[in-house]
Amino acid sequence: MCGIVGYCGYRSAAEVLLSGLKRLEYRGYDSAGIGLGDGKSLDVYKTKGKIKDLREHVPQEASGIIGIGHTRWATHGGVTDINAHPHMDTDKKIAVVHNGIIENYMPLKEMLIGEGYKFISETDSEVLIHLISKFYTGDLEKAVKEALMLVKGTYGIIAFHKDNPDQLVGARNGSPLVLGIGEDEMFLASDVSALVAYTKRVVYFEDHEVVTISKTDYSTSNIDNEAINKEVENISWELEEMEKGGYDFFMLKEIHEQSQSVPRAYQGRIDEEMATAKLGGLNMTSRELLDVERVKIVAAGTSYHAGLVAALQMESMARIPCSVELASEFRYRNPVVEKNTLYFALSQSGETIDTLYAMREIQRKGGRCLGVCNVVGSTIPRESDGGVYLHSGPEIAVASTKAFTSQITALYLFTLNMARMRDLSTEGGLRFIKALKELPIQLEKALGDSEHIQALAKKYAKYPHFLFLGRGINYPVALEGALKLKEVSYIHAEGYSAAEIKHGPIALINEETPSLFLVADDHLKEKVISNMKEIKARDGMVIAVAVEGDKEVAGIADDVIYVPRVDPAFNPFVMSIPLQLFSYYCAIELGRDVDQPRNLAKSVTVE
Ligand code: M6R
């Protein structure tokens, strides 16, 4: 969850680290720090708060051509200056930043205390610096490797020694690490967003790999000291994609990008002649795809909801049983991995540890797991047996928005392919493709209603509780709407099947609890309308998201948000837009930190 960055070169290390940390801030933002070296001294500046607070702590004249930085999401130990990274050894000669969790830190700490080492923080990470210091005899890389041999848990670390202003040592296990190669400068970071302003040439690391950099060179090996060759890759993301581009918040920008990000997920992947989709990255022959009897998706949070939408469509259109499971639960319940089941790990970041470990469990049991991810080069796509990239561009707001619709798009393409290999006719395939290609215009229309949604947010943001209700393929959209609202506005919200409310949740209806209904014009519409009436009969407030021109719904609900009419399979796209905008504007109304809500982080790399 934390972000780490390291720099070795000719620029002011402080400036590179602070700007890198700013771009990594979405990974964790409760405290931050940097350590700077120039061959004579090692200076560490750290504080609770955000990168802007750290900036105020770092003196203008802070010098150094080498350094490391960290932005924290606290796991072990409270949010304090002392618990912030970097951590230094007792002699203040070595500094280290760590992302991950050292699971066996207690016995290591006791051992080190027994040997006379003094601990000053409450963190698990502090054992690393004392271990490195214990093993250091003039060779930092060797000391880091010896220290890591004793460690159980996850880490992405960067360390440097005061006496060597031209050397950083990085290593990873379970937490990401990437090297950026510049001209007379090198960078290390948790992800490419910290490097893209300086270089596009990168090397991604696997678990148990170690890298040592100077400003002009780097060497890679594994923890067992075997040299390894790594491929240099090019980053496709542009710096501008990581800027707010005139919007007040990334979340709003990313919501509005969906009319472009959705087509990016399907472009080049549609075969009109055969009325199907072609996904080269699956690494599967048609014969292997034909053998698939079941599909299972593992995911977390918003990705889980996107998986639920896609699963319903897969079952109804491709006639393949498809289920979705929370990755965190899947991994620990000794799951049955079946031979003819195809697994998907669905994750925007490609780093979510629950999803990654669920995928590893599937693979360990001999299952085939494909990745559907947005971040190119992230761990899930690299370790999966094939997959699909979303090409949504960077999603920086902690609340996931554009990734949701792109994930559904990517899985719909797979569904189309599977359906065309089974029952779906050419006409059916072409109808689906036509509806898919009309989506960008429909999404633009849905986005055009933002002033009205902003006005509704002003009216409703004062209510402490919300129910989000939908049915069929829009039930997962209701779950996602509730997640979005609670995540960014801190209003308590629950998502339910509209049919379920009479089994309990209707007891919550009172003057403080509005219900937001998703009323698609599909086979379940009349049932949903009955559920709305049940709420109105109990004096509950109702906001409805309905298809344009639906007067019946307008006659029942207190307020209506209209969305364009689309093929029923595509309602989750147009219906999720108003829910995202509603959450955003409620959060603004309540003065929340929209892009970095409290207690959260974008990339959840701890269990
Ligand atoms: O990167 P992932 O898609 O694997 O992330 C999964 C969840 O952590 C993520 O969707 C989270 O729920 C978002 N904050 C929701 O907006």
Side-chain angles (χ1 to χ4, degrees):
M1 319 271 282
C2 310
I4 59 173
V5 61
Y7 177 71
C8 186
Y10 58 86
R11 303 175 202 252
S12 150
E15 203 37 55
V16 175
L17 297 173
L18 287 167
S19 68
L21 287 177
K22 186 73 203 149
R23 293 197 188 280
L24 291 177
E25 197 171 30
Y26 70 97
R27 301 184 74 94
Y29 35 83
D30 56 41
S31 46
I34 58 171
L36 301 171
D38 57 9
K40 293 191 251 12
S41 60
L42 192 174
D43 297 312
V44 165
Y45 307 96
K46 51 189 194 175
T47 182
K48 304 194 281 194
K50 297 198 167 189
I51 306 305
K52 65 175 175 25
D53 305 304
L54 176 62
R55 224 174 230 289
E56 283 165 19
H57 261 68
V58 179
Q60 289 287 336
E61 61 285 1
S63 63
I65 48 165
I66 190 165
I68 57 180
H70 188 270
T71 177
R72 181 167 185 245
W73 187 87
T75 58
H76 293 60
V79 179
T80 63
D81 293 356
I82 286 185
N83 288 339
H85 300 216
H87 294 291
M88 281 195 287
D89 67 324
T90 317
D91 295 339
K92 300 197 179 339
K93 287 190 169 173
I94 309 174
V96 71
V97 286
H98 168 228
N99 169 25
I101 291 181
I102 307 300
E103 287 166 6
N104 61 339
Y105 83 101
M106 275 313 286
L108 290 173
K109 189 169 175 176
E110 279 161 21
M111 175 191 88
L112 288 161
I113 289 173
E115 292 176 18
Y117 289 90
K118 298 253 176 315
F119 280 74
I120 55 170
S121 80
E122 302 156 319
T123 66
D124 55 328
S125 311
E126 199 182 348
V127 297
L128 283 172
I129 187 65
H130 295 307
L131 285 174
I132 294 169
S133 147
K134 169 182 159 82
F135 292 118
Y136 184 78
T137 52
D139 182 343
L140 185 62
E141 182 183 307
K142 184 164 165 284
V144 166
K145 285 178 178 167
E146 284 175 15
L148 293 179
M149 290 294 225
L150 298 183
V151 156
K152 286 203 186 83
T154 54
Y155 53 79
I157 66 160
I158 313 174
F160 80 102
H161 194 289
K162 165 179 162 283
D163 296 340
N164 193 345
D166 195 26
Q167 186 191 61
L168 290 179
V169 179
R172 76 156 272 176
N173 181 42
S175 303
L177 185 70
V178 60
L179 161 71
I181 305 168
E183 288 290 320
D184 289 332
E185 57 183 348
M186 298 277 171
F187 308 81
L188 289 171
S190 303
D191 70 57
V192 297
S193 58
L195 321 172
V196 75
Y198 305 102
T199 180
K200 294 246 166 129
R201 299 181 66 225
V202 298
V203 174
Y204 296 101
F205 295 100
E206 310 296 330
D207 284 353
H208 308 298
E209 291 185 346
V210 178
V211 56
T212 297
I213 64 172
S214 68
K215 62 175 180 289
T216 53
D217 205 1
Y218 65 93
S219 66
T220 49
S221 55
N222 62 23
I223 198 165
D224 296 321
N225 233 357
E226 296 156 334
I228 43 173
N229 279 325
K230 299 292 297 177
E231 190 189 340
V232 177
E233 298 179 41
N234 280 308
I235 315 169
S236 57
W237 286 355
E238 299 295 334
L239 189 59
E240 305 81 70
E241 293 182 272
M242 294 179 185
E243 311 282 356
K244 287 191 195 138
Y247 287 92
D248 290 340
F249 288 94
F250 280 109
M251 182 178 175
L252 189 61
K253 176 186 177 227
E254 288 158 10
I255 292 171
H256 279 275
E257 276 174 353
Q258 288 174 97
S259 54
Q260 300 115 59
S261 54
V262 164
R264 278 207 300 271
Y266 66 67
Q267 266 151 13
R269 292 169 165 169
I270 289 175
D271 180 346
E272 301 251 9
E273 210 184 317
M274 296 292 168
T276 189
K278 42 182 195 331
L279 297 165
L282 300 183
N283 295 336
M284 288 178 77
T285 62
S286 302
R287 181 59 57 88
E288 286 172 321
L289 287 171
L290 204 54
D291 284 341
V292 172
E293 287 172 4
R294 243 169 238 287
V295 170
K296 182 148 217 152
I297 300 168
V298 289
T302 292
S303 299
Y304 172 73
H305 298 149
L308 290 172
V309 171
L312 288 165
Q313 186 61 19
M314 199 165 319
E315 197 154 296
S316 79
M317 185 161 101
R319 309 302 301 149
I320 299 172
C322 179
S323 56
V324 193
E325 192 163 335
L326 290 170
S328 50
E329 294 300 327
F330 177 85
R331 182 194 170 207
Y332 284 106
R333 66 166 177 79
N334 192 14
V336 175
V337 171
E338 293 166 310
K339 198 164 165 225
N340 290 335
T341 298
L342 179 62
Y343 294 85
F344 281 94
L346 183 58
S347 168
Q348 186 285 131
S349 62
E351 298 291 351
T352 300
I353 210 151
D354 291 328
T355 312
L356 173 65
Y357 283 5
M359 180 175 86
R360 286 182 181 166
E361 181 66 2
I362 291 161
Q363 292 172 322
R364 185 186 71 75
K365 291 187 162 180
R368 188 197 289 255
C369 190
L370 305 178
V372 178
C373 300
N374 188 35
V375 179
V376 176
S378 56
T379 309
I380 291 175
R382 279 186 297 113
E383 291 191 15
S384 64
D385 299 297
V388 187
Y389 276 121
L390 304 178
H391 301 307
S392 314
E395 189 182 68
I396 291 167
V398 164
S400 187
T401 52
K402 64 177 176 173
F404 177 70
T405 44
S406 294
Q407 286 169 330
I408 302 172
T409 308
L411 288 170
Y412 270 21
L413 293 177
F414 175 77
T415 302
L416 173 63
N417 187 20
M418 295 298 264
R420 285 286 294 125
M421 290 175 72
R422 289 164 171 81
D423 284 352
L424 191 70
S425 64
T426 308
E427 293 68 37
L430 286 175
R431 252 197 318 276
F432 190 81
I433 291 171
K434 181 168 176 286
L436 181 64
K437 287 178 138 185
E438 281 168 5
L439 258 188
I441 292 176
Q442 314 292 23
L443 289 170
E444 256 326 302
K445 271 200 203 162
L447 288 162
D449 202 20
S450 62
E451 267 182 41
H452 171 52
I453 296 168
Q454 186 171 9
L456 290 180
K458 264 190 196 311
K459 174 173 169 188
Y460 286 99
K462 61 175 182 280
Y463 293 102
H465 310 286
F466 258 88
L467 289 180
F468 283 74
L469 304 162
R471 288 209 65 183
I473 205 161
N474 297 307
Y475 163 44
V477 181
L479 298 180
E480 174 58 11
L483 171 62
K484 216 82 306 167
L485 186 68
K486 66 185 127 191
E487 176 178 35
V488 297
S489 72
Y490 318 152
I491 296 172
H492 169 233
E494 306 253 8
Y496 271 100
S497 156
E500 271 294 299
I501 47 169
K502 57 188 177 293
H503 297 294
I506 200 161
L508 295 171
I509 296 305
N510 62 12
E511 63 292 346
E512 291 197 319
T513 311
S515 302
L516 193 150
F517 274 87
L518 300 174
V519 199
D521 196 2
D522 61 13
H523 62 296
L524 290 164
K525 179 177 165 188
E526 290 316 316
K527 311 251 174 235
V528 177
I529 286 187
S530 299
N531 300 142
M532 272 170 66
K533 287 182 178 163
E534 286 155 16
I535 300 281
K536 286 306 302 170
R538 286 155 183 84
D539 292 331
M541 282 165 283
V542 168
I543 309 168
V545 178
V547 175
E548 55 193 350
D550 192 327
K551 298 223 169 59
E552 185 186 3
V553 172
I556 305 165
D558 298 283
D559 285 291
V560 183
I561 301 168
Y562 283 123
V563 293
R565 179 176 296 280
V566 292
D567 179 288
F570 293 91
N571 272 320
F573 289 83
V574 290
M575 296 227 158
S576 58
I577 298 280
L579 302 195
Q580 295 168 353
L581 287 169
F582 184 71
S583 300
Y584 171 81
Y585 285 117
C586 283
I588 294 290
E589 199 51 33
L590 297 169
R592 308 298 191 220
D593 190 344
V594 177
D595 284 340
Q596 295 175 347
R598 70 181 177 207
N599 305 336
L600 289 172
K602 180 74 178 163
S603 187
V604 185
T605 55
V606 295
E607 285 197 71

